[in-house]
Amino acid sequence: MVINLLNTLIAIVVGVAGAFVLYWLLNKLVELLPTKWEERLKPYAFILPAFAVIALYLIYPAIQTIVYSFANAQSTAWVGFSNYTDLLGSPEFRQTLLNTLLWIVIVPAVSIILGLVVATLADRLRPRAEKITKTIIFLPMAISAVGAGTIWRFIYAANPKDQPQIGLQNAIVTKFGADPVNWLQLSSFHVNSLLLMVIMLWGQVGFAMVLLSAAIKSVPVDTLEAARIDGATEREIFFRVIVPQIWPTVITVFITVTIGVMKIFDIVYVMTNGNFNTNVVGVQFYNELFTNNNAGYAAAIVVMLMIAIIPIMWYQVRHFRQEEAAR
Amino acid sequence: MRRLSWLRAAVAAGAAVLLTAGCLSSGGNSGSGGNKNTGKTIEIMMAFTGPQATNFEKSVDPYAKSQGITIKWSPTSDFNSLINTRVRGNQLPDIALFPQPGIMRDIVKTGKLTDLSTILDINSLKSSFVAGEIDAGTANGKVYAIPVSMNVKSIVFYPKQAFSAAGYSAPQSIPDLLALTDKIRSSGKTPWCLGIESGAATGWPATDWIEELVLKYGGIDQYNDWVNHKIPFDSPLVNQAANTFSQIAFTPGNVAGGRQSIAGNNFNTAANPMFVNPPGCFMYKQGNFVAQAGGFPANVISNIDNTVGVFPFPPAKAGGENPVEGGGDLAGLFSGNNDAAKSIMKYMTGQGFGAEAAKGGTFLAPRKDFPLDNYPNQITKDIAKIAYTSTVIAFDGSDQMPGAVGSGTFWREMTSWISGQTSQANALKAIDTSWPKS
């Protein structure tokens, strides 16, 4: 334990000092050059190490993944597009894509709506009550997804009929004389996927609430007063004065949650491992790589995910630039 | 300017692709394993944890100490993922105890495991081990792993007092077993407990049922053909097995909690209703390992010889050939040039190994010459006898199949079928489709 701590400490010190020395040396080297060249090269001296690290740890693996997605399970021979056609041709994988799509459509939208509702209502409470409400709603955010899964297992747990029910929902259901329900096996209308989304929402609403609440509080009071004087109703004030002013925050929250949802893995892995038609892309990727030892399929799945994320990234960058320009 | 920067980015990306493209990995080397460690400290990785692991360690550590060897034990409940990751990253342990030969054979393809015939006397091992156990560690005609522990799965537990009080007796054939099931059900009681939930590994107990029935209906040769996919899943043999299973599991009134409870019911605790009065069920088919802490309730385990009985899963016809299904942990050697690791391998496969582990009640030895007196209770002795006197042990089929099937689609499709998301025919076809092509 002590040794581990010391190692961590040394790593941090050496790392920070090393980076400092590197930049200092580069700077000195550039300063040795004639003034004209010094001015030309100095920006690169500072940006190149960072760029090299990104290239090595991000761009190179990304390209290697794309390359492997056209190779066989052991990455030893080319197979053309067959990884993609195999995957897209299998009904299970299409269901996996559909489930992921449901997550993407439902979770970000619902977390924003709920976050907005909580933020708006809490804003009207007395300061003390507001703090307590927000703390409670924010609390699940601090719990890891695996921990959340364990907690929710106790809510969805189902024991066979006539045995004591340790699951909260089944304890309630059986109190009213009904048979216990295997919540996570209710695959019609993707009810079980929705139940898994509840876990994600439980964690994400607090995040949305905090950011949106801050945005609502920074809406200038004079705009609200002006609207009231002009005879606007509370609803009109909310939708036509507050929402437009916090819209940039809404977009930011939306994009952050969407990207988080596209990578969703832990909740599904812990709760069902993708059984009962709750599979999502992240879990399927993991199972292809680590259970099925199929690096080709795994890489192809990741590439599809990358392609799907590109439009969102593009939108975010554009949105960010507009924000900058408006400032 | 804008266009120029796009052009530059495109050129840079193109150059990067050219630089990295074609960098496919080369096939593995073969021979003496992938771990170059030659020191006296070796790492052993295994898939069992808790008391099972401590008991096992107690059987090895004294010997290692006497040889001046230090063993770093790495027990993990996520063995398959971890060993695959470590093989991929070349962070190899010295010895790994594989619970599934299928995973071991996948790794043999990378050339990182050692051919054991140069280190151990395979022929003498073959004659002293339970028949079939050495075959489980064989790939391409060479032995890469030797079982160091064993489990027996062809057994059915029953509540001793209530079972005999009701006048039931151990069935002699599968039709007998079905008749007994009907008899218990028609008397208003529940014949079976059944649960296949096991976290991320959910479904394996259902594959054990299918394997058991395929083995009994088809015999060892057809079983092996099926395991190697010479007989497909969508075949009369496997369908016959699946039909019998569905008759037992899906007939209303046969299973405590009904069909819908099976997939959510944990295999370790599924049998607990058996030990209340009156029993919630009368039969539970599972490996010997449920009869220990974490499985059956503590008060049952402390008094196991009086509360629990066990009969072997019956053959298809009374008196017919009756191979036994089992499993085990197979020791494979990654550092073939390490004398310390080699001597531990010899010790773990030697005569009498495991006495301390056996006394802990969590261990069955795979050697026929293991003294039965080491087992702590009658039920363990009975289970060991079922294995030692069997004509042949068929190693757990799903554990031998390629990982994509044996711990992938076979588990998954059985779970889907039992919980009603897919049909028997579609499930079996889907497993066939998922069988790796090469």
Side-chain angles (χ1 to χ4, degrees):
Chain A
M1 187 62 199
V2 177
I3 291 177
N4 282 346
L5 272 177
L6 277 178
N7 277 342
T8 319
L9 211 64
I10 291 169
I12 291 172
V13 170
V14 169
V16 172
F20 181 79
V21 169
L22 176 76
Y23 278 107
W24 185 77
L25 270 179
L26 281 173
N27 190 38
K28 281 281 165 210
L29 278 176
V30 178
E31 277 175 359
L32 291 178
L33 295 168
T35 322
K36 195 178 154 200
W37 279 97
E38 185 191 332
E39 274 171 13
R40 263 191 206 167
L41 287 180
K42 211 164 207 175
Y44 294 101
F46 279 88
I47 208 159
L48 263 181
F51 186 76
V53 168
I54 288 180
L56 183 65
Y57 290 105
L58 204 70
I59 298 176
Y60 170 70
I63 292 168
Q64 190 65 282
T65 306
I66 296 172
V67 170
Y68 279 175
S69 76
F70 297 103
N72 65 358
Q74 290 81 34
S75 311
T76 48
W78 301 106
V79 294
F81 277 92
S82 78
N83 287 332
Y84 293 91
T85 48
D86 283 0
L87 280 171
L88 294 172
S90 95
E92 282 87 12
F93 188 71
R94 285 205 296 265
Q95 280 295 325
T96 304
L97 284 181
L98 177 65
N99 281 328
T100 314
L101 189 68
L102 283 175
W103 277 80
I104 294 170
V105 169
I106 294 171
V107 174
V110 176
S111 33
I112 283 183
I113 292 169
L114 287 180
L116 205 52
V117 168
V118 175
T120 315
L121 295 182
D123 199 35
R124 313 209 156 186
L125 292 170
R126 273 167 291 142
R128 203 187 159 79
E130 183 184 351
K131 263 185 212 152
I132 294 172
T133 320
K134 281 185 177 170
T135 311
I136 291 172
I137 290 171
F138 188 70
L139 216 54
M141 178 90 192
I143 297 171
S144 77
V146 175
T150 312
I151 293 169
W152 282 80
R153 253 175 186 262
F154 287 115
I155 292 180
Y156 294 145
N159 277 344
K161 204 182 156 191
D162 302 328
Q163 287 175 40
Q165 296 296 332
I166 58 157
L168 178 72
Q169 290 191 181
N170 275 323
I172 296 170
V173 165
T174 46
K175 263 281 176 300
F176 288 102
D179 284 350
V181 183
N182 275 289
W183 301 100
L184 294 177
Q185 294 179 39
L186 300 172
S187 61
S188 40
F189 300 107
H190 295 270
V191 170
N192 46 9
S193 284
L194 294 174
L195 289 172
L196 295 181
M197 289 179 208
V198 171
I199 305 173
M200 178 91 174
L201 285 171
W202 184 68
Q204 288 298 325
V205 167
F207 168 73
M209 175 204 70
V210 166
L211 293 192
L212 293 171
S213 169
I216 288 175
K217 287 198 188 299
S218 66
V219 169
V221 185
D222 42 352
T223 58
L224 302 181
E225 272 173 13
R228 283 207 184 92
I229 289 165
D230 288 348
T233 62
E234 283 299 304
R235 179 178 301 176
E236 279 171 331
I237 290 174
F238 181 73
F239 282 108
R240 299 169 75 166
V241 178
I242 296 179
V243 169
Q245 295 195 66
I246 62 166
W247 196 244
T249 312
V250 172
I251 296 291
T252 309
V253 173
F254 186 84
I255 288 168
T256 316
V257 177
T258 307
I259 291 174
V261 167
M262 291 182 98
K263 298 185 295 189
I264 181 70
F265 165 77
D266 21 29
I267 291 175
V268 178
Y269 181 71
V270 173
M271 299 295 285
T272 63
N273 191 18
N275 278 319
F276 319 120
N277 197 8
T278 56
N279 213 356
V280 291
V281 168
V283 174
Q284 186 58 28
F285 152 72
Y286 176 85
N287 280 329
E288 289 295 354
L289 190 58
F290 292 107
T291 318
N292 302 358
N293 264 321
N294 194 331
Y297 278 10
I301 292 172
V302 173
V303 170
M304 286 188 240
L305 195 59
M306 263 199 288
I307 293 172
I309 284 185
I310 286 174
I312 300 172
M313 298 302 261
W314 175 77
Y315 181 77
Q316 192 187 20
V317 169
R318 205 186 64 142
H319 173 76
F320 182 73
R321 279 201 184 137
Q322 280 172 350
E323 286 283 289
E324 291 287 284
R327 216 161 263 175
Chain B
M1 193 58 207
R2 199 63 199 279
R3 180 176 292 171
L4 195 66
S5 69
W6 273 108
L7 196 69
R8 265 193 214 152
V11 169
V17 169
L18 281 179
L19 280 173
T20 52
C23 301
L24 292 180
S25 27
S26 50
N29 58 328
S30 62
S32 60
N35 190 332
K36 303 284 176 248
N37 173 24
T38 51
K40 281 244 166 191
T41 300
I42 60 166
E43 184 187 4
I44 302 183
M45 232 177 108
M46 70 266 211
F48 45 89
T49 54
Q52 210 185 338
T54 23
N55 287 336
F56 191 85
E57 288 164 20
K58 266 187 239 158
S59 315
V60 186
D61 280 338
Y63 171 78
K65 207 173 175 189
S66 74
Q67 301 293 308
I69 300 166
T70 314
I71 300 179
K72 183 175 171 268
W73 295 97
S74 303
T76 166
S77 49
D78 202 8
F79 182 88
N80 291 355
S81 311
L82 205 58
I83 192 76
N84 278 331
T85 316
R86 291 185 60 166
V87 166
R88 217 177 286 273
N90 214 18
Q91 292 279 319
L92 299 165
D94 296 281
I95 295 173
L97 309 184
F98 294 90
Q100 297 185 311
I103 303 280
M104 186 271 299
R105 281 175 206 158
D106 284 347
I107 292 173
V108 165
K109 284 187 204 147
T110 67
K112 285 176 180 159
L113 274 170
T114 313
D115 175 7
L116 295 177
S117 59
T118 55
I119 296 162
L120 302 164
D121 182 357
I122 302 296
N123 282 330
S124 95
L125 289 179
K126 264 192 183 154
S127 60
S128 43
F129 272 63
V130 176
E133 284 279 349
I134 300 290
D135 299 334
T138 308
N140 313 322
K142 286 181 187 159
V143 177
Y144 286 96
I146 307 274
V148 293
S149 75
M150 179 180 71
N151 57 58
V152 180
K153 293 183 166 177
S154 288
I155 45 180
V156 178
F157 294 96
Y158 57 85
K160 212 167 189 173
Q161 326 280 305
F163 197 82
S164 51
Y168 307 138
S169 59
Q172 300 304 310
S173 66
I174 291 178
D176 265 10
L177 183 73
L178 296 174
L180 176 62
T181 303
D182 292 343
K183 187 176 161 192
I184 299 177
R185 189 186 63 240
S186 54
S187 69
K189 289 174 267 191
T190 309
W192 290 94
C193 274
L194 191 47
I196 63 163
E197 197 272 338
S198 178
T202 295
W204 67 259
T207 67
D208 280 2
W209 266 94
I210 301 295
E211 288 154 17
E212 185 77 59
L213 291 160
V214 168
L215 180 62
K216 302 292 173 171
Y217 284 131
I220 183 76
D221 290 337
Q222 289 201 62
Y223 177 84
N224 283 334
D225 282 350
W226 169 62
V227 166
N228 294 313
H229 210 224
K230 284 175 197 141
I231 294 177
F233 274 81
D234 193 16
S235 61
L237 175 62
V238 183
N239 270 300
Q240 187 188 10
N243 289 339
T244 305
F245 174 71
S246 63
Q247 192 188 334
I248 289 174
F250 302 165
T251 306
N254 265 5
V255 172
R259 176 178 179 174
Q260 281 306 319
S261 78
I262 297 173
N265 201 358
N266 187 275
F267 77 96
N268 258 323
T269 49
N272 288 5
M274 194 190 259
F275 307 112
V276 294
N277 202 10
C281 65
F282 282 84
M283 289 181 279
Y284 184 57
K285 171 186 150 40
Q286 190 47 272
N288 61 290
F289 42 80
V290 286
Q292 53 180 259
F296 292 163
N299 60 335
V300 172
I301 290 177
S302 60
N303 189 20
I304 197 153
D305 282 341
N306 294 319
T307 46
V308 188
V310 59
F311 63 77
F313 198 93
K317 283 192 209 98
E321 188 206 356
N322 198 14
V324 168
E325 195 202 354
D329 295 289
L330 292 88
L333 182 62
F334 282 105
S335 46
N337 293 322
N338 186 317
D339 291 329
K342 279 196 245 179
S343 95
I344 294 292
M345 284 294 288
K346 275 183 200 147
Y347 179 69
M348 288 196 299
T349 52
Q351 190 173 7
F353 168 74
E356 293 83 355
K359 283 178 189 126
T362 54
F363 175 88
L364 288 181
R367 286 180 74 112
K368 285 185 287 189
D369 52 16
F370 190 79
L372 284 177
D373 289 340
N374 283 330
Y375 295 119
N377 48 39
Q378 192 54 42
I379 192 167
T380 316
K381 284 176 195 166
D382 289 347
I383 293 169
K385 245 184 273 168
I386 292 175
Y388 297 161
T389 56
S390 69
T391 46
V392 63
I393 278 228
F395 207 94
D396 186 305
S398 61
D399 289 351
Q400 295 193 69
M401 294 173 184
V405 177
S407 45
T409 48
F410 196 4
W411 291 355
R412 213 168 270 281
E413 293 296 331
M414 285 297 117
T415 309
S416 290
W417 173 43
I418 288 169
S419 56
Q421 270 104 19
T422 185
S423 65
Q424 177 179 327
N426 284 342
L428 296 179
K429 275 188 203 116
I431 302 171
D432 278 331
T433 322
S434 73
W435 197 281
K437 283 162 205 100
S438 58

